[in-house]
Amino acid sequence: ICVTAVGGLFTEDLIREMAKRVERPIIFPLSNPTTKAECTAEQAFEWTDGRCIFASGSPFDPVEMDDGKIYYTSQCNNMYIFPGVGLGASVCGAKRITDRMLYVAAKALAECVPQDVMERGQVFPHISSIRQVSHRIAIAVIEEAMREGLATK
């Protein structure tokens, strides 16, 4: 995971070395804009033979490998977590947001990613489901606020 804004920081040698050591290397070049991304989606998938788990701070087009398999990228930012956390905290009148609430929000988000989406190489649900995702996250936050005795409503 990198947010250096140094384009090309993730070199071919570095990524290939990661791919030698783990089955599914996690590569998250999160810097914006794309010119500042530490590597491109195409590089990450090519240098790992399509085995990486990839998400970026900037949008990238899908990557088609030589065998015809297409990998779709995920854009990683706070647009999935924060609306649901805010909704949940507002609905239950949470006195504060705890680390545990953020954890259950992240877990709820992960549970919203369908298997077929993961198989395409994505790590977040499609943006078209953001309302349903926010709803599930809000419920998780409300339940946690109640467990922690922080809900006032």
Side-chain angles (χ1 to χ4, degrees):
I1 298 176
C2 204
V3 290
T4 64
V6 177
L9 184 65
F10 290 174
T11 65
E12 182 174 357
D13 288 343
L14 175 75
I15 291 176
R16 288 194 184 278
E17 186 64 29
M18 288 173 59
K20 282 183 201 174
R21 297 177 182 272
V22 294
E23 180 64 28
R24 305 279 322 267
I26 298 170
I27 302 173
F28 284 14
L30 299 179
S31 295
N32 284 307
T34 53
T35 57
K36 301 282 187 182
E38 291 76 13
C39 72
T40 67
E42 185 174 1
Q43 291 167 332
F45 285 109
E46 179 184 323
W47 297 339
T48 63
D49 299 319
R51 294 183 295 117
C52 70
I53 298 169
F54 181 89
S56 60
S58 297
F60 282 99
D61 290 332
V63 176
E64 184 171 359
M65 301 295 285
D66 290 340
D67 64 3
K69 187 165 184 179
I70 298 174
Y71 293 94
Y72 297 86
T73 63
S74 290
Q75 190 171 352
C76 180
N77 61 36
N78 59 18
M79 70 183 177
Y80 286 101
I81 293 289
F82 288 175
V85 170
L87 175 62
S90 295
V91 167
C92 76
K95 294 177 185 176
R96 68 180 181 275
I97 306 296
T98 65
D99 288 345
R100 181 78 185 159
M101 287 179 204
L102 295 175
Y103 171 78
V104 298
K107 187 174 179 194
L109 172 59
E111 292 168 354
C112 291
V113 183
Q115 185 64 34
D116 65 313
V117 170
M118 286 189 278
E119 289 170 3
R120 290 194 310 258
Q122 295 176 283
V123 293
F124 295 103
H126 192 272
I127 190 66
S128 65
S129 65
I130 196 159
R131 288 178 187 249
Q132 295 89 345
V133 170
S134 293
H135 182 255
R136 284 190 63 183
I137 290 171
I139 291 170
V141 168
I142 292 166
E143 290 172 346
E144 184 59 30
M146 292 170 64
R147 266 192 296 278
E148 294 182 33
L150 296 173
T152 62
K153 296 181 187 177

